[in-house]
Amino acid sequence: MAHGKDPSRQSEREKSDETQRDSDSASEHQADLNRDAERVEADRAKLQSRSDSDASRDLGRADVARSGAKRQAEGDERLRLERQTSDQAIKGERLRTDAATEKGRSHHQASARSSAELLSQEQKSHQKTRATLTSREEFLAIVSHDLRNPLNNISLAAQILLEDPKDIKELAASINRSAGEMLRLIEDLLDIERIAVGKLTLHIEQHDVSEIIKQSVEQLQGAAVSKGITLEAEPQDVSGYVVCDRSRVMQVLSNLIGNAIKFTPAKGKICVSCQRTGPEGEEVQISISDTGEGIAPDIRGRIFEPFFTTKQDWNAKGLGLTMVHQVCEEHHGRVTVESEPGKGATFTVLLPMPQQGALA
């Protein structure tokens, strides 16, 4: 019995083994369940990951598609802007080229016009110079002739005095007249030259205009009487002074009165008058009127020009009236003429009068 197996222990051991087997089986089953659950979870995670990846890939593809379209649109817009800029640049360059061409054409046309104008001016200047030279030549011929005449008279009178000094007084008067004529001509020449170079000196003072007119008329009264002409000064309505060089104004009046005597026939009349003129009486107007042959309209505007002479010889030797005109201008005055052929002429000299209070 001591060496025999205990049946109860054997049974317990078997139960214990069976229990252990059941426990092991349950554990294995639980492990299988856990593995299955893990596998299902892993599969679900994989599926989710795959789904997410597919979605992300689809989104990426959509983004790429959208980005490509956007890039394409942006590229098209850039290309459009570049073309527009290029077109504008080409248009601007074309406009600049056209403007430069037009400017060049205008400059060429202006240059051509300017050249034509310069040529025309040169031609006019040449013609004027030729006319002036011709006038100067004629003038020199006239002056030479007019100087030679009184000089011949002086020489002849002197010769007669030497040979037969009977009419001494008459011959002396002839010599005196001829010498005076020569001196006046020489003085006119010198005055014209002085005025031309701006060297005419005026001794400006305030002088009684009535006295200047009175003396000018008295000096030429004898010449008028010798031709049977009445020369008179009308009663003056000017009591006052003129601002002038007395000797020059007398020279002007003597020249105008002398011309009037020259062109007025016997029994004619010359009248010297004077009055204030201007809005405030700021000028004195001296008029020399005659009943002579008058001045033709076609030469009336030229008789004050230097070296201009006519058959009528109103601007004697081309100097007298020129000197009158220039001396008046030097006095800030002027000289005018009105005339009708056959009805005489009226020369008017206007000179400034001093302002009120200037004599104080």
Side-chain angles (χ1 to χ4, degrees):
M1 296 289 296
H3 295 284
K5 293 181 181 180
D6 189 347
S8 61
R9 289 181 178 176
Q10 185 67 28
S11 177
E12 290 176 359
R13 187 179 295 113
E14 290 176 354
K15 288 179 180 180
S16 176
D17 291 339
E18 185 177 355
T19 302
Q20 184 66 39
R21 282 195 296 273
D22 290 340
S23 176
D24 290 340
S25 178
S27 295
E28 288 176 3
H29 179 69
Q30 184 63 42
D32 290 338
L33 290 174
N34 290 338
R35 280 196 296 276
D36 290 341
E38 290 175 358
R39 194 175 292 118
V40 168
E41 185 63 28
D43 291 340
R44 186 183 297 110
K46 287 179 180 179
L47 289 172
Q48 183 64 40
S49 175
R50 187 176 299 160
S51 176
D52 291 344
S53 178
D54 291 342
S56 177
R57 186 167 55 253
D58 292 341
L59 288 172
R61 287 173 180 170
D63 289 342
V64 169
R66 284 194 298 272
S67 178
K70 184 177 181 181
R71 285 197 300 272
Q72 181 66 33
E74 290 175 349
D76 293 342
E77 180 64 16
R78 282 196 301 273
L79 182 59
R80 187 186 67 79
L81 291 175
E82 288 173 359
R83 286 177 179 173
Q84 183 178 2
T85 302
S86 178
D87 290 344
Q88 289 176 348
I90 292 172
K91 184 179 179 180
E93 184 63 27
R94 187 174 298 152
L95 289 174
R96 285 191 293 272
T97 302
D98 292 344
T101 302
E102 184 61 28
K103 184 178 180 181
R105 186 181 296 112
S106 299
H107 179 72
H108 177 71
Q109 292 173 347
S111 178
R113 286 194 299 270
S114 178
S115 297
E117 289 173 359
L118 286 174
L119 178 60
S120 177
Q121 290 175 2
E122 285 293 330
Q123 290 174 339
K124 290 179 180 178
S125 177
H126 179 65
Q127 291 172 355
K128 185 176 180 180
T129 301
R130 287 186 61 184
T132 300
L133 289 174
T134 302
S135 297
R136 282 180 179 271
E137 290 172 359
E138 294 173 351
F139 159 73
L140 290 174
I142 293 170
V143 169
S144 299
H145 176 269
D146 287 338
L147 279 174
R148 189 178 291 112
N149 280 344
L151 185 58
N152 287 338
N153 290 338
I154 292 173
S155 178
L156 180 60
Q159 186 67 32
I160 294 173
L161 280 174
L162 289 172
E163 295 177 356
D164 186 11
K166 292 181 180 179
D167 300 323
I168 296 177
K169 187 174 181 180
E170 183 178 343
L171 291 171
S174 176
I175 291 173
N176 187 56
R177 285 195 302 271
S178 297
E181 187 176 343
M182 291 179 67
L183 286 173
R184 281 194 296 274
L185 178 55
I186 292 170
E187 280 301 317
D188 284 347
L189 282 169
L190 294 175
D191 285 342
I192 293 295
E193 184 61 23
R194 291 187 191 108
I195 292 172
V197 297
K199 291 185 178 180
L200 181 68
T201 302
L202 297 179
H203 301 285
I204 300 296
E205 294 179 351
Q206 294 170 350
H207 297 283
D208 188 331
V209 63
S210 299
E211 286 298 318
I212 293 176
I213 293 172
K214 180 180 177 182
Q215 282 196 3
S216 299
V217 170
E218 287 176 353
Q219 286 181 356
L220 291 165
Q221 193 66 255
V225 170
S226 67
K227 281 193 66 176
I229 298 170
T230 300
L231 170 62
E232 62 182 17
E234 289 185 351
Q236 310 301 315
D237 63 354
V238 176
S239 58
Y241 293 78
V242 288
V243 181
C244 67
D245 182 321
R246 179 188 179 90
S247 63
R248 293 296 178 185
V249 172
M250 289 192 65
Q251 184 181 10
V252 165
L253 297 184
S254 295
N255 193 298
L256 294 176
I257 295 170
N259 261 1
I261 292 172
K262 186 175 184 179
F263 295 104
T264 300
K267 299 183 180 180
K269 182 178 180 180
I270 300 170
C271 180
V272 183
S273 61
C274 182
Q275 63 181 4
R276 284 179 179 267
T277 186
E280 298 180 2
E282 67 275 11
E283 288 183 321
V284 61
Q285 173 181 302
I286 305 171
S287 298
I288 298 93
S289 300
D290 64 64
T291 58
E293 60 191 78
I295 307 172
D298 58 331
I299 67 169
R300 195 178 305 146
R302 299 193 60 195
I303 59 176
F304 297 109
E305 294 178 8
F307 315 122
F308 178 73
T309 58
T310 69
K311 292 180 180 179
Q312 288 179 303
D313 202 22
W314 268 100
N315 193 9
K317 308 171 190 63
L319 292 176
L321 293 181
T322 300
M323 182 276 299
V324 167
H325 176 262
Q326 293 181 346
V327 168
C328 287
E329 285 196 338
E330 290 291 317
H331 280 81
H332 304 290
R334 59 195 183 279
V335 58
T336 62
V337 59
E338 294 180 2
S339 178
E340 289 185 33
K343 295 185 179 180
T346 297
F347 284 83
T348 300
V349 174
L350 293 107
L351 298 172
M353 298 195 74
Q355 298 295 322
Q356 292 294 328
L359 295 175

